[in-house]
Amino acid sequence: FNKTTSKIFLIIYLCLLILCLLIKFFKFLYRDKYLFKLFITCIISVIAVPIIIYSLSYLLFPNLSYYDGTLKGIFDINKMMYDYHATLDATHPFTSKWFSWPFMYKPVWLYSGSITYGFRETITDIGNPLVWWFSVISFVYLIISAIKKNKDSKYIIIFILGTIIPYIFIGRIMFMYHYFITLPFMMLGIVSFIKWLDEKYHTNKIYFIYIYSVIIMFFIFYPIVSGISVSDEYIESLKWLSSWYF
């Protein structure tokens, strides 16, 4: 199982969601030409365009020994990739479980550069703690809000679950970067939560405080995600969890 398979699952998931909406609002689609055109546009955007772009991308590699330039060849390659990942039996020091990803429990160390005079370069796929960790709190808000029948929260939760559920059933080693497809929807939860806080307390200060804090945190962690040479002491100071290694 790989990221391509995950994306295919997400496309199928979106198609089923669109189908459910179609069934629910069929009478409106039937009567309203604009809504019908919008529905057709969604189908083309979600299904046709991604398939075409993905298939054409194989033309970038015309000399592959295992690709014969046909649609069947594309199917065979994807089946080969799926079989490899589905039966993979391997270990890795930076593997992690799906439920640990939102907490950034074990980021993947990607690069280690030159070490001179107490300075070194390093790159990890760690995220911004104020985004990742706050998104967990926001997800709790989404659940409570959805229970109270907030439709926006329900839709966000649907997309979050749709992108993370496939990994629950995967037996092979996985890594934190598999969570990147889920993160944008978790960030929508942050927006929803902060919007609720601002409305509840009749202020927009929470929004600005959060944005500025995220920007500051971005610059704090920038050296270890960009490979900029900084002091070893600075890098060590960013290892907030014992499982962080970079």
Side-chain angles (χ1 to χ4, degrees):
F1 197 100
N2 57 13
K3 289 184 286 186
T4 300
T5 309
S6 176
K7 292 174 183 177
I8 293 175
F9 177 87
L10 178 58
I11 290 175
I12 296 174
Y13 187 83
L14 290 174
C15 290
L16 291 175
L17 180 60
I18 292 175
L19 179 62
C20 291
L21 291 174
L22 174 62
I23 294 174
K24 183 176 181 180
F25 299 107
F26 176 77
K27 61 180 180 181
F28 299 105
L29 289 171
Y30 180 76
R31 297 174 183 174
D32 193 318
K33 292 183 178 180
Y34 172 77
L35 287 177
F36 182 76
K37 291 180 179 179
L38 180 61
F39 172 75
I40 296 300
T41 301
C42 291
I43 293 295
I44 294 174
S45 301
V46 173
I47 301 177
V49 173
I51 290 177
I52 291 173
I53 293 176
Y54 181 76
S55 300
L56 291 177
S57 68
Y58 282 86
L59 298 178
L60 298 173
F61 309 97
N63 299 320
L64 291 177
S65 59
Y66 47 83
Y67 173 53
D68 59 6
T70 65
L71 291 176
K72 182 179 181 301
I74 295 176
F75 176 82
D76 291 339
I77 290 177
N78 280 271
K79 183 178 183 301
M80 178 180 65
M81 289 190 292
Y82 177 84
D83 291 339
Y84 168 80
H85 288 280
T87 58
L88 180 63
D89 183 16
T91 59
H92 195 282
F94 294 104
T95 185
S96 57
K97 298 294 185 179
W98 64 271
F99 51 79
S100 71
W101 297 337
F103 305 98
M104 292 195 303
Y105 178 73
K106 187 178 288 186
V108 181
W109 190 23
L110 303 171
Y111 167 79
S112 177
S114 60
I115 304 175
T116 56
Y117 304 108
F119 285 75
R120 64 186 177 96
E121 303 167 354
T122 188
I123 297 178
T124 177
D125 71 345
I126 198 169
N128 189 314
L130 285 180
V131 174
W132 288 57
W133 292 343
F134 194 69
S135 71
V136 176
I137 299 174
S138 299
F139 184 69
V140 175
Y141 158 77
L142 288 176
I143 294 176
I144 296 174
S145 179
I147 293 175
K148 295 181 179 180
K149 299 184 179 180
N150 183 300
K151 292 183 179 180
D152 293 337
S153 296
K154 289 181 179 179
Y155 283 122
I156 295 175
I157 290 176
I158 286 173
F159 284 104
I160 290 174
L161 296 180
T163 54
I164 197 68
I165 285 177
Y167 294 102
I168 298 177
F169 306 100
I170 299 175
R172 57 149 287 181
I173 58 174
M174 297 181 292
F175 303 93
M176 197 177 77
Y177 55 72
H178 289 127
Y179 182 68
F180 287 171
I181 194 173
T182 305
L183 190 59
F185 301 109
M186 294 291 282
M187 293 168 69
L188 287 178
I190 294 176
V191 174
S192 182
F193 183 37
I194 292 180
K195 179 177 179 293
W196 176 79
L197 289 173
D198 280 345
E199 292 175 350
K200 178 178 177 63
Y201 295 104
H202 305 288
T203 180
N204 60 1
K205 292 182 178 179
I206 298 175
Y207 164 79
F208 286 107
I209 291 174
Y210 179 73
I211 291 296
Y212 291 142
S213 299
V214 167
I215 293 174
I216 292 173
M217 191 65 67
F218 167 79
F219 285 108
I220 291 175
F221 277 79
Y222 183 72
I224 65 171
V225 298
S226 64
I228 292 177
S229 180
V230 292
S231 69
D232 189 63
E233 289 79 6
Y234 185 81
I235 293 175
E236 291 298 319
S237 70
L238 296 179
K239 295 181 179 180
W240 295 355
L241 298 181
S242 58
S243 56
W244 290 4
Y245 190 86
F246 40 78

Short mmCIF file of all heavy atoms in Angstrom, two decimals, residues 185-231:
data_model
loop_
_atom_site.label_atom_id
_atom_site.label_comp_id
_atom_site.label_asym_id
_atom_site.label_seq_id
_atom_site.Cartn_x
_atom_site.Cartn_y
_atom_site.Cartn_z
N PHE A 185 -7.00 19.13 6.07
CA PHE A 185 -8.35 19.08 6.63
C PHE A 185 -8.34 19.33 8.13
O PHE A 185 -9.28 19.91 8.68
CB PHE A 185 -8.99 17.73 6.29
CG PHE A 185 -9.07 17.46 4.82
CD1 PHE A 185 -8.27 16.50 4.24
CD2 PHE A 185 -9.94 18.18 4.01
CE1 PHE A 185 -8.32 16.25 2.88
CE2 PHE A 185 -10.01 17.95 2.65
CZ PHE A 185 -9.19 16.98 2.07
N MET A 186 -7.27 18.89 8.79
CA MET A 186 -7.11 19.21 10.22
C MET A 186 -6.94 20.72 10.40
O MET A 186 -7.44 21.30 11.38
CB MET A 186 -5.91 18.47 10.78
CG MET A 186 -6.06 16.96 10.82
SD MET A 186 -7.28 16.41 12.04
CE MET A 186 -6.33 16.58 13.57
N MET A 187 -6.26 21.35 9.47
CA MET A 187 -6.08 22.80 9.53
C MET A 187 -7.39 23.54 9.34
O MET A 187 -7.61 24.61 9.92
CB MET A 187 -5.05 23.23 8.49
CG MET A 187 -3.64 22.71 8.78
SD MET A 187 -2.47 22.91 7.42
CE MET A 187 -2.30 24.69 7.41
N LEU A 188 -8.28 22.96 8.53
CA LEU A 188 -9.62 23.54 8.41
C LEU A 188 -10.34 23.49 9.76
O LEU A 188 -11.13 24.38 10.09
CB LEU A 188 -10.44 22.78 7.35
CG LEU A 188 -10.06 23.02 5.89
CD1 LEU A 188 -10.93 22.16 4.99
CD2 LEU A 188 -10.21 24.49 5.53
N GLY A 189 -10.05 22.45 10.52
CA GLY A 189 -10.62 22.35 11.87
C GLY A 189 -10.11 23.47 12.77
O GLY A 189 -10.85 24.00 13.60
N ILE A 190 -8.83 23.83 12.60
CA ILE A 190 -8.26 24.94 13.37
C ILE A 190 -8.99 26.24 13.03
O ILE A 190 -9.35 27.01 13.92
CB ILE A 190 -6.76 25.09 13.07
CG1 ILE A 190 -5.99 23.87 13.57
CG2 ILE A 190 -6.21 26.36 13.72
CD1 ILE A 190 -4.51 23.90 13.25
N VAL A 191 -9.21 26.46 11.75
CA VAL A 191 -9.92 27.67 11.31
C VAL A 191 -11.31 27.71 11.92
O VAL A 191 -11.76 28.75 12.42
CB VAL A 191 -10.02 27.71 9.76
CG1 VAL A 191 -10.89 28.88 9.31
CG2 VAL A 191 -8.63 27.82 9.15
N SER A 192 -11.99 26.58 11.88
CA SER A 192 -13.35 26.50 12.43
C SER A 192 -13.35 26.77 13.93
O SER A 192 -14.21 27.49 14.46
CB SER A 192 -13.95 25.12 12.13
OG SER A 192 -15.26 25.03 12.61
N PHE A 193 -12.38 26.20 14.64
CA PHE A 193 -12.30 26.35 16.09
C PHE A 193 -12.00 27.81 16.48
O PHE A 193 -12.65 28.37 17.37
CB PHE A 193 -11.23 25.42 16.65
CG PHE A 193 -11.11 25.44 18.14
CD1 PHE A 193 -12.24 25.56 18.95
CD2 PHE A 193 -9.87 25.33 18.75
CE1 PHE A 193 -12.14 25.58 20.34
CE2 PHE A 193 -9.75 25.35 20.13
CZ PHE A 193 -10.89 25.48 20.93
N ILE A 194 -11.04 28.42 15.81
CA ILE A 194 -10.69 29.81 16.12
C ILE A 194 -11.84 30.74 15.78
O ILE A 194 -12.11 31.71 16.50
CB ILE A 194 -9.40 30.22 15.37
CG1 ILE A 194 -8.21 29.45 15.93
CG2 ILE A 194 -9.16 31.73 15.49
CD1 ILE A 194 -6.89 29.77 15.28
N LYS A 195 -12.53 30.46 14.69
CA LYS A 195 -13.70 31.27 14.32
C LYS A 195 -14.75 31.21 15.43
O LYS A 195 -15.35 32.23 15.80
CB LYS A 195 -14.29 30.77 13.01
CG LYS A 195 -15.54 31.51 12.53
CD LYS A 195 -15.99 30.97 11.19
CE LYS A 195 -17.25 31.69 10.71
NZ LYS A 195 -18.42 31.39 11.55
N TRP A 196 -14.95 30.01 15.97
CA TRP A 196 -15.91 29.85 17.06
C TRP A 196 -15.47 30.61 18.31
O TRP A 196 -16.29 31.25 18.97
CB TRP A 196 -16.07 28.36 17.38
CG TRP A 196 -16.97 28.09 18.55
CD1 TRP A 196 -18.34 28.10 18.57
CD2 TRP A 196 -16.55 27.81 19.90
NE1 TRP A 196 -18.80 27.82 19.83
CE2 TRP A 196 -17.73 27.64 20.68
CE3 TRP A 196 -15.32 27.67 20.52
CZ2 TRP A 196 -17.69 27.35 22.03
CZ3 TRP A 196 -15.27 27.37 21.87
CH2 TRP A 196 -16.44 27.22 22.61
N LEU A 197 -14.18 30.56 18.62
CA LEU A 197 -13.66 31.27 19.78
C LEU A 197 -13.81 32.78 19.62
O LEU A 197 -14.21 33.48 20.57
CB LEU A 197 -12.17 30.93 20.00
CG LEU A 197 -11.86 29.52 20.49
CD1 LEU A 197 -10.35 29.29 20.50
CD2 LEU A 197 -12.44 29.29 21.89
N ASP A 198 -13.50 33.28 18.44
CA ASP A 198 -13.63 34.72 18.19
C ASP A 198 -15.08 35.18 18.34
O ASP A 198 -15.36 36.25 18.89
CB ASP A 198 -13.13 35.06 16.78
CG ASP A 198 -11.61 35.16 16.73
OD1 ASP A 198 -10.99 35.24 17.80
OD2 ASP A 198 -11.05 35.16 15.62
N GLU A 199 -16.01 34.36 17.83
CA GLU A 199 -17.43 34.72 17.93
C GLU A 199 -17.93 34.62 19.36
O GLU A 199 -18.74 35.43 19.80
CB GLU A 199 -18.24 33.83 17.01
CG GLU A 199 -17.98 34.08 15.52
CD GLU A 199 -18.72 33.11 14.63
OE1 GLU A 199 -19.29 32.12 15.18
OE2 GLU A 199 -18.74 33.32 13.41
N LYS A 200 -17.43 33.63 20.06
CA LYS A 200 -17.87 33.42 21.45
C LYS A 200 -17.44 34.57 22.35
O LYS A 200 -18.21 35.02 23.22
CB LYS A 200 -17.30 32.10 21.98
CG LYS A 200 -17.67 31.79 23.44
CD LYS A 200 -17.13 30.45 23.87
CE LYS A 200 -17.41 30.16 25.34
NZ LYS A 200 -18.86 30.08 25.63
N TYR A 201 -16.21 35.05 22.15
CA TYR A 201 -15.67 36.10 23.01
C TYR A 201 -15.69 37.48 22.35
O TYR A 201 -15.10 38.43 22.88
CB TYR A 201 -14.25 35.73 23.44
CG TYR A 201 -14.19 34.49 24.29
CD1 TYR A 201 -13.76 33.27 23.75
CD2 TYR A 201 -14.60 34.51 25.62
CE1 TYR A 201 -13.73 32.12 24.53
CE2 TYR A 201 -14.56 33.36 26.40
CZ TYR A 201 -14.14 32.17 25.85
OH TYR A 201 -14.11 31.04 26.63
N HIS A 202 -16.33 37.56 21.19
CA HIS A 202 -16.53 38.83 20.49
C HIS A 202 -15.21 39.58 20.29
O HIS A 202 -15.05 40.74 20.66
CB HIS A 202 -17.52 39.72 21.27
CG HIS A 202 -18.82 39.06 21.55
ND1 HIS A 202 -19.76 38.81 20.58
CD2 HIS A 202 -19.33 38.55 22.71
CE1 HIS A 202 -20.81 38.21 21.12
NE2 HIS A 202 -20.57 38.02 22.41
N THR A 203 -14.25 38.88 19.73
CA THR A 203 -12.95 39.48 19.49
C THR A 203 -12.27 38.78 18.32
O THR A 203 -12.65 37.67 17.95
CB THR A 203 -12.04 39.34 20.73
OG1 THR A 203 -10.77 39.92 20.45
CG2 THR A 203 -11.85 37.87 21.10
N ASN A 204 -11.30 39.44 17.71
CA ASN A 204 -10.49 38.80 16.69
C ASN A 204 -9.04 38.67 17.14
O ASN A 204 -8.16 38.34 16.36
CB ASN A 204 -10.56 39.57 15.37
CG ASN A 204 -10.06 41.01 15.53
OD1 ASN A 204 -9.65 41.43 16.62
ND2 ASN A 204 -10.09 41.77 14.45
N LYS A 205 -8.79 38.94 18.42
CA LYS A 205 -7.43 38.88 18.95
C LYS A 205 -6.88 37.45 18.95
O LYS A 205 -5.69 37.24 18.76
CB LYS A 205 -7.40 39.45 20.36
CG LYS A 205 -7.65 40.95 20.43
CD LYS A 205 -7.56 41.45 21.86
CE LYS A 205 -7.78 42.96 21.92
NZ LYS A 205 -7.71 43.48 23.31
N ILE A 206 -7.76 36.48 19.19
CA ILE A 206 -7.32 35.08 19.22
C ILE A 206 -6.74 34.69 17.87
O ILE A 206 -5.69 34.03 17.78
CB ILE A 206 -8.48 34.16 19.60
CG1 ILE A 206 -8.99 34.50 21.00
CG2 ILE A 206 -8.05 32.69 19.53
CD1 ILE A 206 -10.21 33.72 21.41
N TYR A 207 -7.40 35.13 16.83
CA TYR A 207 -6.94 34.84 15.47
C TYR A 207 -5.54 35.39 15.23
O TYR A 207 -4.64 34.68 14.77
CB TYR A 207 -7.93 35.42 14.46
CG TYR A 207 -7.40 35.52 13.06
CD1 TYR A 207 -7.35 34.40 12.22
CD2 TYR A 207 -6.94 36.73 12.56
CE1 TYR A 207 -6.85 34.50 10.93
CE2 TYR A 207 -6.44 36.84 11.27
CZ TYR A 207 -6.40 35.72 10.47
OH TYR A 207 -5.90 35.82 9.20
N PHE A 208 -5.34 36.66 15.55
CA PHE A 208 -4.05 37.30 15.31
C PHE A 208 -2.95 36.72 16.20
O PHE A 208 -1.82 36.53 15.76
CB PHE A 208 -4.16 38.81 15.51
CG PHE A 208 -4.89 39.51 14.40
CD1 PHE A 208 -6.18 39.99 14.59
CD2 PHE A 208 -4.29 39.67 13.16
CE1 PHE A 208 -6.85 40.63 13.56
CE2 PHE A 208 -4.96 40.32 12.13
CZ PHE A 208 -6.24 40.80 12.33
N ILE A 209 -3.29 36.43 17.44
CA ILE A 209 -2.30 35.83 18.35
C ILE A 209 -1.84 34.48 17.81
O ILE A 209 -0.64 34.17 17.81
CB ILE A 209 -2.89 35.67 19.76
CG1 ILE A 209 -3.09 37.04 20.42
CG2 ILE A 209 -1.97 34.80 20.63
CD1 ILE A 209 -3.80 36.98 21.75
N TYR A 210 -2.79 33.70 17.33
CA TYR A 210 -2.44 32.38 16.81
C TYR A 210 -1.58 32.50 15.55
O TYR A 210 -0.56 31.81 15.41
CB TYR A 210 -3.70 31.58 16.50
CG TYR A 210 -3.41 30.22 15.93
CD1 TYR A 210 -2.90 29.20 16.74
CD2 TYR A 210 -3.60 29.95 14.58
CE1 TYR A 210 -2.61 27.95 16.22
CE2 TYR A 210 -3.31 28.71 14.05
CZ TYR A 210 -2.81 27.71 14.86
OH TYR A 210 -2.51 26.48 14.33
N ILE A 211 -1.97 33.34 14.62
CA ILE A 211 -1.23 33.50 13.36
C ILE A 211 0.20 33.94 13.62
O ILE A 211 1.16 33.38 13.07
CB ILE A 211 -1.94 34.49 12.43
CG1 ILE A 211 -3.26 33.91 11.91
CG2 ILE A 211 -1.04 34.86 11.25
CD1 ILE A 211 -3.09 32.68 11.05
N TYR A 212 0.36 34.96 14.45
CA TYR A 212 1.71 35.46 14.75
C TYR A 212 2.54 34.39 15.46
O TYR A 212 3.76 34.27 15.21
CB TYR A 212 1.62 36.73 15.60
CG TYR A 212 1.06 37.92 14.87
CD1 TYR A 212 0.21 38.82 15.50
CD2 TYR A 212 1.36 38.13 13.52
CE1 TYR A 212 -0.32 39.92 14.83
CE2 TYR A 212 0.84 39.21 12.83
CZ TYR A 212 -0.01 40.11 13.48
OH TYR A 212 -0.52 41.19 12.80
N SER A 213 1.91 33.62 16.34
CA SER A 213 2.63 32.56 17.05
C SER A 213 3.09 31.47 16.09
O SER A 213 4.21 30.95 16.21
CB SER A 213 1.73 31.95 18.14
OG SER A 213 1.35 32.92 19.09
N VAL A 214 2.24 31.13 15.12
CA VAL A 214 2.60 30.12 14.13
C VAL A 214 3.78 30.60 13.28
O VAL A 214 4.71 29.84 12.98
CB VAL A 214 1.39 29.79 13.22
CG1 VAL A 214 1.84 28.99 12.00
CG2 VAL A 214 0.34 29.00 13.99
N ILE A 215 3.77 31.87 12.91
CA ILE A 215 4.86 32.43 12.11
C ILE A 215 6.18 32.39 12.89
O ILE A 215 7.23 32.01 12.36
CB ILE A 215 4.54 33.88 11.69
CG1 ILE A 215 3.36 33.89 10.71
CG2 ILE A 215 5.76 34.55 11.04
CD1 ILE A 215 2.87 35.27 10.35
N ILE A 216 6.12 32.77 14.15
CA ILE A 216 7.32 32.73 14.99
C ILE A 216 7.84 31.30 15.12
O ILE A 216 9.05 31.04 15.00
CB ILE A 216 7.01 33.31 16.40
CG1 ILE A 216 6.72 34.82 16.29
CG2 ILE A 216 8.19 33.06 17.34
CD1 ILE A 216 6.24 35.43 17.59
N MET A 217 6.92 30.36 15.34
CA MET A 217 7.32 28.96 15.47
C MET A 217 7.91 28.43 14.17
O MET A 217 8.83 27.59 14.18
CB MET A 217 6.11 28.11 15.88
CG MET A 217 6.46 26.70 16.31
SD MET A 217 7.46 26.65 17.81
CE MET A 217 6.28 27.28 19.02
N PHE A 218 7.41 28.92 13.06
CA PHE A 218 7.95 28.52 11.76
C PHE A 218 9.43 28.87 11.65
O PHE A 218 10.26 28.05 11.25
CB PHE A 218 7.18 29.20 10.63
CG PHE A 218 7.85 29.10 9.28
CD1 PHE A 218 7.76 27.94 8.53
CD2 PHE A 218 8.59 30.17 8.78
CE1 PHE A 218 8.40 27.85 7.29
CE2 PHE A 218 9.23 30.08 7.55
CZ PHE A 218 9.13 28.91 6.80
N PHE A 219 9.79 30.08 12.04
CA PHE A 219 11.18 30.51 11.96
C PHE A 219 12.05 29.77 12.98
O PHE A 219 13.23 29.51 12.72
CB PHE A 219 11.28 32.02 12.16
CG PHE A 219 10.84 32.80 10.95
CD1 PHE A 219 9.64 33.51 10.96
CD2 PHE A 219 11.62 32.83 9.81
CE1 PHE A 219 9.24 34.23 9.85
CE2 PHE A 219 11.22 33.54 8.68
CZ PHE A 219 10.02 34.24 8.70
N ILE A 220 11.46 29.43 14.12
CA ILE A 220 12.22 28.68 15.13
C ILE A 220 12.63 27.31 14.59
O ILE A 220 13.78 26.86 14.78
CB ILE A 220 11.39 28.53 16.42
CG1 ILE A 220 11.24 29.89 17.12
CG2 ILE A 220 12.04 27.51 17.36
CD1 ILE A 220 10.34 29.86 18.34
N PHE A 221 11.71 26.63 13.90
CA PHE A 221 11.98 25.28 13.41
C PHE A 221 12.53 25.25 11.99
O PHE A 221 12.90 24.17 11.50
CB PHE A 221 10.70 24.43 13.48
CG PHE A 221 10.45 23.84 14.83
CD1 PHE A 221 9.90 24.60 15.86
CD2 PHE A 221 10.77 22.52 15.10
CE1 PHE A 221 9.68 24.06 17.11
CE2 PHE A 221 10.54 21.96 16.35
CZ PHE A 221 10.00 22.74 17.36
N TYR A 222 12.61 26.39 11.35
CA TYR A 222 13.04 26.44 9.95
C TYR A 222 14.41 25.80 9.72
O TYR A 222 14.59 25.07 8.72
CB TYR A 222 13.05 27.88 9.46
CG TYR A 222 13.41 28.01 8.00
CD1 TYR A 222 12.51 27.61 7.01
CD2 TYR A 222 14.66 28.50 7.60
CE1 TYR A 222 12.84 27.71 5.67
CE2 TYR A 222 14.99 28.60 6.26
CZ TYR A 222 14.08 28.20 5.30
OH TYR A 222 14.41 28.29 3.98
N PRO A 223 15.41 26.02 10.58
CA PRO A 223 16.73 25.43 10.33
C PRO A 223 16.72 23.91 10.19
O PRO A 223 17.48 23.35 9.40
CB PRO A 223 17.54 25.87 11.55
CG PRO A 223 16.91 27.14 11.98
CD PRO A 223 15.43 26.92 11.76
N ILE A 224 15.86 23.21 10.94
CA ILE A 224 15.89 21.75 10.91
C ILE A 224 14.98 21.15 9.83
O ILE A 224 14.93 19.93 9.68
CB ILE A 224 15.54 21.14 12.28
CG1 ILE A 224 14.10 21.47 12.67
CG2 ILE A 224 16.50 21.61 13.34
CD1 ILE A 224 13.63 20.72 13.90
N VAL A 225 14.28 22.00 9.09
CA VAL A 225 13.50 21.50 7.96
C VAL A 225 14.08 21.99 6.63
O VAL A 225 13.63 21.58 5.57
CB VAL A 225 12.00 21.91 8.06
CG1 VAL A 225 11.37 21.33 9.29
CG2 VAL A 225 11.84 23.42 8.01
N SER A 226 15.08 22.86 6.70
CA SER A 226 15.67 23.44 5.49
C SER A 226 17.12 23.05 5.29
O SER A 226 17.66 23.21 4.21
CB SER A 226 15.58 24.97 5.55
OG SER A 226 16.34 25.48 6.64
N GLY A 227 17.76 22.54 6.34
CA GLY A 227 19.16 22.16 6.21
C GLY A 227 20.15 23.29 6.40
O GLY A 227 21.33 23.15 6.09
N ILE A 228 19.68 24.43 6.93
CA ILE A 228 20.57 25.54 7.21
C ILE A 228 21.55 25.15 8.32
O ILE A 228 21.16 24.53 9.31
CB ILE A 228 19.78 26.80 7.62
CG1 ILE A 228 18.98 27.32 6.43
CG2 ILE A 228 20.70 27.88 8.14
CD1 ILE A 228 18.13 28.52 6.76
N SER A 229 22.78 25.52 8.15
CA SER A 229 23.79 25.19 9.15
C SER A 229 23.59 26.06 10.40
O SER A 229 23.63 27.28 10.33
CB SER A 229 25.19 25.43 8.58
OG SER A 229 26.17 25.12 9.54
N VAL A 230 23.35 25.40 11.52
CA VAL A 230 23.20 26.09 12.80
C VAL A 230 23.98 25.32 13.86
O VAL A 230 24.45 24.20 13.62
CB VAL A 230 21.71 26.20 13.23
CG1 VAL A 230 20.95 27.14 12.30
CG2 VAL A 230 21.06 24.82 13.26
N SER A 231 24.09 25.90 15.02
CA SER A 231 24.87 25.25 16.08
C SER A 231 24.19 23.97 16.56
O SER A 231 22.96 23.85 16.53
CB SER A 231 25.04 26.20 17.26
OG SER A 231 23.81 26.42 17.92
#
